[in-house]
């Protein structure tokens, strides 16, 4: 079972047990995080596609760590004009372990179904 979720302006394909690097999230380490914007869910060949999101589905995860990515160099230059600019950047990230892909739809029990039939 896997899901495609939308977070931080990007889409991520996740499954239970995966460790995913998101852009910096405002959640402390060790806390749970819930992603409600589920675009697609695939379960044993059954595919649900949202319009734009799949209702009654959510993905839960646990924040493992925060950190900074590898340094990149931004270098601008205009030849023959003596224009050179060098700048470095390290993108902050949040490491999240996906714990569950759940359906939030309320499941009816057998007794509720019997009561509904009795009322009708």
């Amino acid at each position: 079972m896997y899901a495609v979720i939308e977070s931080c302006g990007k889409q991520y394909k996740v499954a239970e047990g995966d460790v995913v690097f998101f852009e910096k999230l405002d959640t402390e380490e060790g806390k749970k995080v819930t992603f409600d914007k589920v675009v697609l869910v695939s379960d044993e060949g059954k595919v649900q596609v949202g319009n734009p999101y799949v209702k009654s589905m959510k993905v839960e995860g646990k924040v493992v760590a925060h950190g900074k990515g590898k340094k990149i160099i931004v270098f601008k230059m205009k030849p023959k004009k003596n224009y050179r600019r060098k700048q470095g950047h390290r993108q902050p990230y949040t490491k999240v372990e996906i714990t569950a892909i759940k359906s939030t739809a309320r499941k009816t029990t057998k007794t509720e179904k019997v009561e509904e039939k009795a009322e009708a």
Side-chain angles (χ1 to χ4, degrees), residues 5-63:
I5 61 173
E6 187 176 304
S7 178
C8 308
K10 298 179 184 176
Q11 292 181 353
Y12 299 90
K13 179 182 174 184
V14 297
E16 290 185 23
D18 284 355
V19 175
V20 184
F21 292 89
F22 292 99
E23 289 187 22
K24 180 85 173 182
L25 300 174
D26 293 332
T27 309
E28 296 177 14
E29 291 184 20
K31 300 282 184 177
K32 286 187 177 182
V33 64
T34 303
F35 301 100
D36 296 329
K37 296 182 178 181
V38 180
V39 178
L40 179 138
V41 176
S42 176
D43 185 19
E44 298 174 7
K46 296 179 185 177
V47 178
Q48 292 179 329
V49 179
N51 186 12
Y53 304 115
V54 178
K55 295 179 180 172
S56 74
M57 291 298 289
K58 66 179 180 179
V59 175
E60 293 181 346
K62 178 183 169 189
V63 175

Side-chain angles (χ1 to χ4, degrees), residues 69-75 86-91:
K70 189 176 178 181
K71 188 173 209 172
I72 62 165
I73 303 298
V74 180
F75 187 74
K86 184 177 178 181
Q87 181 181 6
H89 177 74
R90 292 181 70 190
Q91 184 68 32

